[in-house]
Amino acid sequence: MGNVDWKQYPSQHFYDELLNANGLPRDAAKPLCDIFSSFTSKELNERKIAAEVAIRTMGITFTVYSEGSTIDRAWPFDIVPRIIPANEWRAVEAGLKQRVDALNLFIDDLYHDQKVIKDGVFPEEVLAQSVNFRPQCMGIDPPHGVWAHICGSDLVRDGNGTIYVLEDNLRVPSGVSYMLENRNVTKRVLPELFETGRILPLDDYPAQLYDMLASMSPRPHDEPQIVVLTPGIYNSAYYEHAYLAQQMGVELVQGSDLTVDDDDVVHMHTVDGLKRVDVIYRRVDDLFLDPEAFIPDSMLGTPGLIRSWRAGKVALTNAPGAGVADDKVVYAFVPKLIRYYLDQEPLIPNVPSYLCMLEDDRRYVLEHLDELVVKPANESGGYGMLIGPRATEEERQEFARRIEADPRNYMAQPTLALSTAPTLFDGTPEPRHVDLRPFILSGPETHVTMGGLTRVALVKDSLVVNSSQGGGSKDTWIVETEGE
């Protein structure tokens, strides 16, 4: 079997992350492409198998919910990294910080004076129909004024190479453990790629996460007691919950491990008795967090958590109620919110969006369902979407009925020509569509991960990258190029 020949890589109409329109490696990708060219297909397959063995040995799994059962699967990983030049990444980093700053100001405003509504910038009816607005959070002042401490914003690149924000995930965003593990696996199976020193590191995330959580402790002069609150082993992101707790050296707990006393202090049951808890990194959705405040029969949370949080005796991350900005209709207003709160122009554009609650937009969407991607306001994981060009006539008619029945719950966007990246199949690279989820930590300072989780649609021509829908992932390199 011969070596990888990039000239044979199928040229297409999409922007490719590694190769330019002439089929030549982009500047930042040249060293990588040269090394891959030196491998035979057999050698590449051996590296791919080594990655699969490493993933099994390291126990990297994710859970798929299907037909009433839960199936743990090995993490689907492609060994060809996705490369972004460092100078381009610095602009993305600035744009993400700007966006999250505006979103945190917006959330804080909604739970206090709601000036954004009084000033006519954000429609009251959108808030009135928000399923993620929590009246229980009105008037609460979280530490640093931050509600969404951990945000995962999904970025896509179109055919012109322009990067857009596709959506913001502010409730309990997942995937950061896979970003870190992708790097660990790549270092194991392709160690020679890291000898140049130009690939910027990202392994400081657990330390940054710990420091951000510690900064929120209501007892700033004592060693903070931090816990990760998980719904349990059957949750699809349980691997990540356990991984992050272990990396930070903190306890992984479930709701039944915690108790809230009459003095509103949270304690954890330990073999040595009760121990006070200062900060809870919760991976449990709002409504299951506290049966006193939300769903009364929830078994996943702890009675009294919101009472303790309101009293300033414990910090919760992300803050309950932060999901009010994690709504695909709110997303369409983010450029306006950046201008309103920061008096700045957005550094990263939104994908053009049509809101079905607006009559003209709704008419346009219904007339162009065969061209658009239609999304419900509050689904995640790629569920509940209509990809118009790939849908049947019956599916489009069904979506038209749903839109007319509940227009506030739907928005639409053009079907983007997502960028591609070379992905290995039988020792040969083929283009597959990718997106990127960087993670932004907001505390006393704001940090953006050096890159993010690149998700890849493993099915040829598919635009759906979610692992729950058959997608995989790649290591993401931010690379310093000559002269930087």
Side-chain angles (χ1 to χ4, degrees), residues 167-212:
E167 60 182 55
D168 305 290
N169 298 281
L170 306 167
R171 281 176 279 182
V172 279
S174 62
V176 76
S177 61
Y178 300 114
M179 173 192 83
L180 298 168
E181 292 284 50
N182 285 351
R183 177 61 53 89
N184 292 334
V185 172
T186 308
K187 281 181 172 175
R188 278 193 185 198
V189 301
L190 294 164
E192 62 270 49
L193 297 176
F194 291 86
E195 287 166 7
T196 64
R198 291 215 173 121
I199 303 160
L200 298 181
L202 49 71
D203 48 8
D204 52 356
Y205 180 84
Q208 289 176 344
L209 177 62
Y210 180 90
D211 289 346
M212 184 274 290

Side-chain angles (χ1 to χ4, degrees), residues 69 411 466:
S69 65
M411 57 92 76
N466 307 75

Side-chain angles (χ1 to χ4, degrees), residues 329 355-356 374-376 399 402-403 406-411:
V329 172
L355 298 182
C356 295
V374 183
K375 300 177 182 180
F399 255 78
R402 290 188 202 175
I403 289 167
D406 186 8
R408 155 67 177 90
N409 192 43
Y410 291 94
M411 57 92 76

Side-chain angles (χ1 to χ4, degrees), residues 63-216:
T63 307
V64 174
Y65 299 111
S66 76
E67 295 165 10
S69 65
T70 52
I71 304 167
D72 269 350
R73 294 187 182 165
W75 180 242
F77 174 72
D78 180 70
I79 65 169
V80 187
R82 184 249 189 98
I83 290 181
I84 302 171
N87 57 357
E88 182 181 35
W89 187 250
R90 281 189 266 277
V92 170
E93 191 177 39
L96 290 171
K97 287 180 178 179
Q98 176 196 58
R99 192 172 181 95
V100 172
D101 286 350
L103 286 168
N104 271 309
L105 289 166
F106 170 65
I107 299 165
D108 198 58
D109 187 11
L110 290 185
Y111 289 114
H112 289 86
D113 299 331
Q114 300 190 348
K115 287 180 182 161
V116 70
I117 292 173
K118 292 168 186 163
D119 289 344
V121 176
F122 186 75
E124 189 168 15
E125 63 268 27
V126 174
L127 181 63
Q129 294 179 50
S130 167
V131 299
N132 291 312
F133 179 72
R134 306 281 173 245
Q136 298 90 335
C137 299
M138 287 299 290
I140 290 181
D141 295 305
H144 320 304
V146 172
W147 293 76
H149 311 85
I150 300 135
C151 173
S153 287
D154 293 343
L155 305 178
V156 293
R157 199 196 286 274
D158 74 356
N160 303 321
T162 304
I163 290 177
Y164 292 89
V165 177
L166 185 66
E167 60 182 55
D168 305 290
N169 298 281
L170 306 167
R171 281 176 279 182
V172 279
S174 62
V176 76
S177 61
Y178 300 114
M179 173 192 83
L180 298 168
E181 292 284 50
N182 285 351
R183 177 61 53 89
N184 292 334
V185 172
T186 308
K187 281 181 172 175
R188 278 193 185 198
V189 301
L190 294 164
E192 62 270 49
L193 297 176
F194 291 86
E195 287 166 7
T196 64
R198 291 215 173 121
I199 303 160
L200 298 181
L202 49 71
D203 48 8
D204 52 356
Y205 180 84
Q208 289 176 344
L209 177 62
Y210 180 90
D211 289 346
M212 184 274 290
L213 293 170
S215 76
M216 296 162 54

